[in-house]
Each structure stands twice: as C-alpha cells, then as structure tokens.
C-alpha cells in the first residue's frame, strides 16, 4: 500500500501502458528475413532466378541443337560430294577399259599408230585418277572431322537437355513451395483484414535496385487489369485506380520518395498503405497481403513496402494503385497519366 501512496499516478500509468501495448499491431512476422511474408519474398526471388536459369539453359540447348543440325547437313553434303567423286572414278575406269585399258601400256604402244599419243593419254588418265584419289582422300578427312564435330555437338546438346530437365524440376519444386507459402500468407492476411488489425511490418531483405530515376512503377512485372474510370458492379461509381494483376506475395514498391501516412486493415481496400510525396500527391497501395513499413516511416523509390494479395473487396490477386490529391478516398486522379508524366510509362 505504501507504494501507491508514494506514487499515486503509477497504477494508472501502468494500466495505460498495458492498454497501448495491447492495441499495437501484432508483430507476427517481425524481424528481417523471418515469417511467412519474408518466406514468400525469398521464394519469389528464387523462383525468378530459377526461371532465368531454365530459360538460359533452354536457349543454350536450342543453339547447340541447331549447331548439331548444321553440322549434320554439312556432313550429308560432304558424303554426297564423295559419292560424286567416286562416280567420276568409275567413269574413268570404264573409259580406260573401253579404250583398251585392259592391255599393258607397252602392248598398246606397240599396236598403236601413234605411240606418243597413247603415252600422253595414259599420263593424262593417270594424273586425273591421282587427282580424284587426292580429292576423295581430302573429302574423307573432312567427313571424319565433321562427323567428330557433329558427335560432340550432339553430345553437348543431349547434356544440355538433361541439365535443363533438372532445372525444370528444381523450378517446379520452388514454385510449389512458393504457392503453398502464398496461400498461408493470404490466409493470415484475411484473418487480419477480418479483425481490422494489421500485423506488424514484415522487414523484407531489400534488393539492390540501383534506380537512377526518382519515380518507378509500383510492381516490376504485371498484367494491367481494371483501369482508372472503368465501370463495374464492384464499384459504387467508377474505378478510382489502376489494377496490376500479380500473384499473391509479389513485392510492391514505393513509386517515389515519400512518407507512410497510413497503414490500415479492413474495409473495401483490405490491407492498404498510403504514402505522401514531396510534390503534394499521395499514392495508395491496396488489397495487400502484408506490409513492410510502419506509419511515419520514410521510403525511397523502388523500396519494397508490402506484398500484393487479395484482401478486401477483391476478386483475385492484384495491386490496386491510386494517386490522390489528399490522403482520403474520393480525390483520385488518373494514375497512369500521372506516372507517365514522371517518366514511368505503364502498359
């Protein structure tokens, strides 16, 4: 009792502190590189790298297969050339036989009216036959070299195909793990959105961006879906942003320098982030599955601020991106034109 008499405000202060702690977002995925959100981001990068390795291997295999086919065509041409040369040899032998080639040269010279002419003809025939023999030998050597090259190219092509099959299997394994992690992440996000209480920021390992411009697109790769001003049963009036169709867990980027002025969960936008930029505009990133920043935090162009999802009034995984003149809904402008004016074409 003496404790409370000496510090009459201590008990209320402790109760207030406990209430504040209880009201703070639950930091389930807190800490760099931990939790489902970080796992999805890591697997997302691994899947992208595996895809690049697979595509590189596929292109290399196709190039090697084309080289083997070219060598095979050259080899066929060389074989046809040898067949023609052998035909020439056969014709020479037939001509020699018809002209008395079966008799010894001395006998033909004795029986001939012009022995010198017989000698000259025999020498010409010998030279022609020797030239053909040399040509055939040369072609055979070239054929052997081509056959060896073709065998090596075919072996390399088969090895590349085998390696590509292994890369494809590794790619499928990563993608299966990624899809399972995405579903877990979305399940956690749905729970948070239903409760209206955001989970703590997932501190993702930021990639080295190297951006030279002050403005970037909100996601790296995407397919455009609902556009600004389009109509539909899902919206009370018109669509107020630009939708980027991307898989669950895709890293969402700050489009420019700014400060986080809103992180909220629940409602039609689900999990959302609103940034204030130095030129007086605000950008909104909605239907997220996770956030990677806290309110009041400053961000840079290309910084990962969250991960896409399908929370709130959403029919599938996508990022809803808005540009506003105030932090509140109802003040949106065309985000594609806004980004284009800042050197970021969208399409």
């Amino acid at each position: 009792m003496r404790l409370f008499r000496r510090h009459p405000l201590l008990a209320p202060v402790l109760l207030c502190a406990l209430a504040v702690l209880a009201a703070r977002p639950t930091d389930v995925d807190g800490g760099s590189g931990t939790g489902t959100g970080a796992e999805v981001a890591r697997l997302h990068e691994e899947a992208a790298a595996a895809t690049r390795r697979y595509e590189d291997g596929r292109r290399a295999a196709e190039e090697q297969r084309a080289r083997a086919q070219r060598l095979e065509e050259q080899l066929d041409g060389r074989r046809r050339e040898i067949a023609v040369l052998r035909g020439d040899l056969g014709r020479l032998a037939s001509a020699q036989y018809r002209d008395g080639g079966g008799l010894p040269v001395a006998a033909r010279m004795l029986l001939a009216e012009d022995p010198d002419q017989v000698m000259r003809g025999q020498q010409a025939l010998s030279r022609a036959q020797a030239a053909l023999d040399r040509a055939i030998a040369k072609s055979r050597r070239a054929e052997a070299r081509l056959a060896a090259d073709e065998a090596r190219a075919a072996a390399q092509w088969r090895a590349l195909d085998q390696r590509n099959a292994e890369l494809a299997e590794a790619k499928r394994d990563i993608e299966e793990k990624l899809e399972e992690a995405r579903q877990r992440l979305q399940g956690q996000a749905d729970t948070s959105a239903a409760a209206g209480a955001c989970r703590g920021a997932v501190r993702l390992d930021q990639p080295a961006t190297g951006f030279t411009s002050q403005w970037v697109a909100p996601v790296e790769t995407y397919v455009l879906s609902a556009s600004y001003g389009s109509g539909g049963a899902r919206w009370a009036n018109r669509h107020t942003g630009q939708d980027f169709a991307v898989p669950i867990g895709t890293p969402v980027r700050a489009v420019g320098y700014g400060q986080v002025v809103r992180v909220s969960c629940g409602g039609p936008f689900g999990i959302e982030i609103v940034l204030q930029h130095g030129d007086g505009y605000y950008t909104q990133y909605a239907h997220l599955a996770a956030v990677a920043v806290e309110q009041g935090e400053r961000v840079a162009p290309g910084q990962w601020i969250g991960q896409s999802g399908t929370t709130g009034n959403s029919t599938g995984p996508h990022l809803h991106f808005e540009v506003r003149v105030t932090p509140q809904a109802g003040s949106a402008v065309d985000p594609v034109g806004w980004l284009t004016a800042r050197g970021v074409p969208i399409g």
Side-chain angles (χ1 to χ4, degrees):
M1 298 298 295
R2 288 196 302 271
L3 178 63
F4 290 103
R5 283 196 296 271
R6 290 182 181 177
H7 303 281
L9 295 177
L10 183 57
V13 167
L14 287 172
L15 290 173
C16 289
L18 289 172
V20 169
L21 288 172
R24 291 185 62 190
T26 305
D27 193 3
V28 179
D29 279 341
S32 176
T34 64
T36 305
E39 180 186 0
V40 171
R42 176 179 58 80
L43 288 170
H44 183 276
E45 293 297 291
E46 288 183 10
T51 298
R52 287 193 295 270
R53 288 194 296 270
Y54 172 76
E55 291 300 324
D56 289 344
R58 184 182 58 78
R59 282 191 293 271
E62 288 176 354
E63 291 170 1
Q64 197 63 36
R65 179 168 57 241
R67 180 172 182 269
Q69 290 172 344
R70 288 194 300 271
L71 287 169
E72 181 62 28
E73 291 170 2
Q74 292 176 26
L75 193 56
D76 288 342
R78 184 62 67 178
R79 287 167 179 158
R80 287 192 298 271
E81 179 183 324
I82 291 175
V84 170
L85 290 172
R86 282 179 174 167
D88 291 342
L89 267 180
R91 284 190 294 275
L92 276 174
S94 298
Q96 187 181 26
Y97 178 78
R98 287 193 304 270
D99 295 339
L103 293 173
V105 176
R108 278 188 285 156
M109 291 179 65
L110 290 172
L111 296 173
E113 295 181 0
D114 187 354
D116 290 340
Q117 185 177 0
V118 172
M119 179 62 70
R120 288 194 297 273
Q122 183 65 31
Q123 289 173 346
L125 184 64
S126 297
R127 285 195 297 271
Q129 185 166 340
L132 278 171
D133 286 341
R134 288 193 298 272
I136 288 176
K138 181 179 178 181
S139 289
R140 281 177 176 165
R141 290 193 298 271
E143 179 186 13
R145 287 194 299 271
L146 276 171
D149 289 343
E150 190 272 339
R152 281 193 296 270
Q156 291 172 358
W157 163 32
R158 289 190 293 269
L160 283 169
D161 264 0
Q162 176 61 32
R163 175 59 178 158
N164 230 31
E166 295 170 0
L167 288 173
E169 180 62 28
K171 178 173 173 286
R172 282 192 297 270
D173 182 59
I174 293 173
E175 288 173 345
E176 288 174 2
K177 291 178 181 177
L178 175 58
E179 183 57 30
E180 190 275 333
R182 281 171 171 162
Q183 295 307 314
R184 280 192 283 114
L185 179 65
Q186 185 60 46
Q188 295 170 358
D190 290 339
T191 300
S192 297
C198 291
R199 298 159 64 83
V202 181
R203 294 304 179 179
L204 303 174
D205 292 331
Q206 297 289 332
T209 57
F211 289 119
T212 56
S213 60
Q214 293 190 358
W215 302 97
V216 299
V219 284
E220 185 174 0
T221 57
Y222 53 84
V223 173
L224 295 178
S225 49
S227 58
Y228 175 78
S230 58
R234 287 174 292 166
W235 310 296
N237 295 303
R238 292 285 179 175
H239 192 228
T240 54
Q242 174 62 58
D243 286 352
F244 296 83
V246 288
I248 295 168
T250 300
V252 173
R253 311 187 295 195
V255 297
Y257 289 103
Q259 185 173 18
V260 181
V261 295
R262 180 179 174 83
V263 176
S264 65
C265 299
F269 289 116
I271 299 174
E272 64 168 327
I273 298 170
V274 177
L275 304 181
Q276 181 181 17
H277 301 281
D279 57 359
Y281 285 95
Y282 298 79
T283 53
Q284 180 210 30
Y285 312 77
H287 304 309
L288 302 177
V291 296
V293 289
E294 300 280 6
Q295 190 162 318
E297 190 172 333
R298 294 193 174 277
V299 296
Q303 179 180 334
W304 288 355
I305 60 173
Q307 292 169 277
S308 64
T310 181
T311 54
N313 182 16
S314 171
T315 58
H318 71 283
L319 168 70
H320 174 87
F321 175 73
E322 275 192 27
V323 178
R324 301 171 175 172
V325 295
T326 72
Q328 289 77 32
S331 61
V333 299
D334 180 7
V336 172
W338 187 85
L339 284 171
T340 301
R342 284 156 179 75
V344 185
I346 300 296

